[in-house]
């Protein structure tokens, strides 16, 4: 396991030296955990939180089928919230337009990808704010992917304006539970405090407990790190949950080429998609498998990213074969 340190997770402070593009966390990405202690923007009985679609149209098709299946079985359609990075590999003009048109028909918050498309920061690069333990080659490839996305976005000024208007976070009420929907963590849109590495440490869980308390939340639903994680934080009535779905639009595990989304609901999942989860404040918090057409996704990906390109070198193997991560490595105390 990669060793996590407090410093690696911390967003860059205003008095620190400027980090390289792709590692820098811009000041306008920041917010206080207490800012999430506010009236909910939406209420739901069943909520799907979808992070990291990454421009995968077959995954979006699969998501809509899953939501329709749940609605048919339970009689209640889930509310969909896309919490950022729904763009990434969709650099072809048709793919770029379709992803944004369909996603923006639902509720959405910005990820660093959307912010850097809409309003590029001079020193942000891809805006990922990668911690020190991420290799420089990964950072360079991500910056290159974002540059191609900006080129695709140039022909769609209305989409760029819509992305610029997206909030950085959202608060939802599901039953008796308050849900803080973020992209990164409780302090920054590109924060890594809810990464699998952070939540595996005592200091990381202690920090998450403090953030839950300051946000007045029972659940943090997040993404950004591209790897799933789920942890129960605290004990008894004071406990909460952090659930990071990893990626809806890419494989997450070594067994199966499927994405992962988060479902938070007052009732158990009525369809056979649940991977793992827990309950808090009387609601079910689960990770669901998103079984998209992997062959169609590889075809779309290859059409936009040639062999040897930044997208292919960074993600081609993962898209074709999955990751080395086991399901048991992503849960903690649930």
């Amino acid at each position: 396991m990669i060793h996590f340190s407090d410093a690696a997770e911390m967003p860059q402070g205003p008095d620190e030296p400027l980090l390289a593009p792709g590692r820098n966390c811009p000041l306008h990405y920041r917010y206080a955990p207490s800012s999430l202690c506010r009236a909910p923007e939406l209420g739901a009985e069943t909520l799907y939180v979808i992070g990291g679609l990454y421009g995968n149209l077959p995954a979006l098709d699969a998501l809509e089928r899953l939501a329709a299946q749940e609605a048919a079985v339970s009689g209640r359609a889930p509310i969909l919230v896309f919490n950022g990075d729904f763009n990434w590999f969709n650099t072809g003009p048709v793919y770029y337009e379709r992803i944004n048109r369909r996603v923006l028909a639902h509720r959405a918050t910005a990820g660093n990808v959307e912010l850097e498309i809409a309003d590029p920061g001079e020193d942000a690069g891809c805006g990922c704010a990668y911690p020190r333990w991420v290799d420089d080659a990964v950072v360079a490839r991500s910056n290159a992917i974002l540059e191609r996305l900006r080129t695709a976005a140039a022909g769609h000024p209305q989409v760029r304006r819509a992305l610029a208007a997206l909030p950085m976070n959202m608060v939802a009420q599901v039953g008796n539970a308050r849900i803080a929907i973020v992209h990164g963590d409780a302090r920054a849109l590109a924060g890594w405090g809810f990464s699998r590495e952070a939540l595996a440490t005592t200091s990381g869980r202690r920090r998450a407990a403090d953030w839950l308390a300051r946000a007045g939340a029972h659940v943090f639903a997040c993404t950004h790190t591209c790897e799933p994680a789920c942890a129960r934080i605290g004990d008894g009535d004071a406990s909460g949950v952090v659930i990071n779905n990893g990626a809806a639009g890419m494989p997450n595990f070594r067994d199966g080429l499927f994405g992962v989304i988060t479902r938070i609901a007052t009732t158990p999942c009525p369809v056979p998609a649940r991977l793992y989860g827990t309950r808090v404040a009387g609601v079910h918090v689960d990770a669901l498998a998103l079984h998209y057409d992997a062959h169609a996704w590889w075809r779309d990906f290859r059409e936009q990213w040639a062999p040897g390109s930044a997208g292919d070198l960074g993600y081609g193997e993962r898209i074709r074969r999955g990751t080395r991560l086991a399901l048991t490595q992503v849960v903690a105390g649930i």
Side-chain angles (χ1 to χ4, degrees), residues 189-312:
L189 179 136
W192 287 70
F194 293 147
S195 66
R196 184 170 61 90
E197 293 78 16
L199 294 174
T201 68
T202 300
S203 62
R205 291 191 296 273
R206 188 182 304 120
R207 185 183 303 109
D210 175 63
W211 288 344
L212 281 162
R214 292 167 65 188
H218 296 95
V219 179
F220 271 110
C222 60
T223 184
H224 183 58
T225 66
C226 217
E227 280 193 351
C230 185
R232 179 172 285 278
I233 306 298
D235 300 307
D237 293 339
S239 68
V241 173
V242 175
I243 185 163
N244 182 335
N245 79 296
M250 282 195 292
N252 293 267
F253 302 107
R254 65 190 183 199
D255 299 317
L257 304 181
F258 56 85
V260 176
I261 68 168
T262 296
R263 178 186 185 270
I264 305 169
T266 57
T267 56
C269 185
V271 296
R274 184 179 183 271
L275 295 169
Y276 50 83
T278 187
R279 293 187 70 187
V280 65
V283 305
H284 300 261
V285 181
D286 294 316
L288 304 188
L290 188 63
H291 291 285
Y292 56 80
D293 185 334
H295 295 291
W297 172 222
W298 177 248
R299 182 191 63 231
D300 290 354
F301 177 82
R302 182 53 80 217
E303 183 177 326
Q304 297 168 91
W305 295 95
S309 64
D312 178 60

Side-chain angles (χ1 to χ4, degrees), residues 12-301:
Q12 180 188 344
D15 298 324
E16 296 174 1
L18 186 65
L19 300 178
R23 296 193 187 274
N24 177 33
C25 185
L27 286 173
H28 67 279
Y29 281 21
R30 323 288 178 82
Y31 45 84
S34 58
S35 69
L36 296 159
C37 191
R38 62 180 189 255
E41 283 87 26
L42 66 95
E45 294 298 309
T46 304
L47 177 68
Y48 284 4
V49 184
I50 308 102
L53 185 67
Y54 295 122
N56 184 338
L57 278 169
L60 187 52
D61 294 338
L63 173 69
E64 293 175 350
R65 289 194 299 269
L66 182 64
Q69 184 183 4
E70 168 145 348
V73 173
S74 68
R76 186 168 57 209
I79 291 178
L80 276 54
V81 176
F82 292 82
N83 60 327
D85 289 2
F86 43 90
N87 292 282
W88 193 231
F89 299 119
N90 51 319
T91 55
V94 172
Y95 294 99
Y96 181 83
E97 188 276 332
R98 286 179 181 173
I99 282 289
N100 284 285
R101 171 171 46 83
R102 290 173 62 181
V103 167
L104 293 172
H106 301 278
R107 292 173 174 84
T109 64
N112 55 284
V113 175
E114 284 72 42
L115 287 188
E116 293 308 317
I117 291 172
D119 185 20
E122 183 178 348
D123 299 303
C126 61
C128 297
Y130 282 115
R132 284 191 287 271
W133 44 261
V134 174
D135 188 84
D136 286 344
V138 173
V139 181
R141 288 192 293 263
S142 292
N143 290 339
I145 291 170
L146 202 284
E147 281 301 319
R148 279 191 54 180
L149 259 176
R150 285 177 179 146
T151 300
H156 299 273
Q158 288 184 321
V159 172
R160 289 182 65 183
R161 287 193 291 271
L163 297 180
L166 292 176
M168 289 197 291
N169 51 57
M170 188 177 294
V171 178
Q173 185 81 30
V174 178
N176 292 323
R178 282 175 48 85
I179 317 300
I181 302 170
V182 299
H183 182 71
D185 63 26
R187 294 183 307 178
L189 179 136
W192 287 70
F194 293 147
S195 66
R196 184 170 61 90
E197 293 78 16
L199 294 174
T201 68
T202 300
S203 62
R205 291 191 296 273
R206 188 182 304 120
R207 185 183 303 109
D210 175 63
W211 288 344
L212 281 162
R214 292 167 65 188
H218 296 95
V219 179
F220 271 110
C222 60
T223 184
H224 183 58
T225 66
C226 217
E227 280 193 351
C230 185
R232 179 172 285 278
I233 306 298
D235 300 307
D237 293 339
S239 68
V241 173
V242 175
I243 185 163
N244 182 335
N245 79 296
M250 282 195 292
N252 293 267
F253 302 107
R254 65 190 183 199
D255 299 317
L257 304 181
F258 56 85
V260 176
I261 68 168
T262 296
R263 178 186 185 270
I264 305 169
T266 57
T267 56
C269 185
V271 296
R274 184 179 183 271
L275 295 169
Y276 50 83
T278 187
R279 293 187 70 187
V280 65
V283 305
H284 300 261
V285 181
D286 294 316
L288 304 188
L290 188 63
H291 291 285
Y292 56 80
D293 185 334
H295 295 291
W297 172 222
W298 177 248
R299 182 191 63 231
D300 290 354
F301 177 82

